[in-house]
Amino acid sequence: MATFTQADLVRCIREAAGEDEGLDLDGDIADMTFADMGYDSVAMVEVTLLVERELGINLPEDDRTGKDATPKQFVELVNELLPASI
């Protein structure tokens, strides 16, 4: 089974919401909240929609996909929902 990684998430963040030049998305961001990284709920909706489209899954609107979630939580949720065939 393939997995969704933090690197995959970072790519989606860059594509859907952009990157603040003051933040190193390639650094240790796993436990930072998206809000602390400068991403609001609108940005997270864009990221979530991109991930859903690319992977063919539906992510719930909950604490793991919002601005107060962390990349680690987001990645764990996506991996829970990935079908074994991907």
Side-chain angles (χ1 to χ4, degrees), residues 36-74:
D36 287 341
M37 290 188 284
Y39 297 104
D40 62 12
S41 46
V42 173
M44 291 315 300
V45 167
E46 293 297 322
V47 171
T48 299
L49 290 172
L50 178 60
V51 171
E52 288 177 331
R53 226 177 9 255
E54 286 189 359
L55 299 177
I57 60 175
N58 289 315
L59 295 169
E61 291 183 32
D62 70 14
D63 294 341
R64 298 176 289 178
T65 59
K67 67 182 179 74
D68 294 321
T70 66
K72 180 179 179 180
Q73 292 170 317
F74 193 101

Side-chain angles (χ1 to χ4, degrees), residues 4-48:
F4 184 79
T5 66
Q6 182 172 304
D8 296 321
L9 174 59
V10 166
R11 179 188 52 75
C12 290
I13 291 171
R14 285 181 172 134
E15 185 175 329
E19 180 175 5
D20 185 306
E21 60 187 56
L23 174 67
D24 179 13
L25 286 177
D26 295 318
D28 186 17
I29 61 166
D31 294 316
M32 293 177 69
T33 66
F34 291 111
D36 287 341
M37 290 188 284
Y39 297 104
D40 62 12
S41 46
V42 173
M44 291 315 300
V45 167
E46 293 297 322
V47 171
T48 299

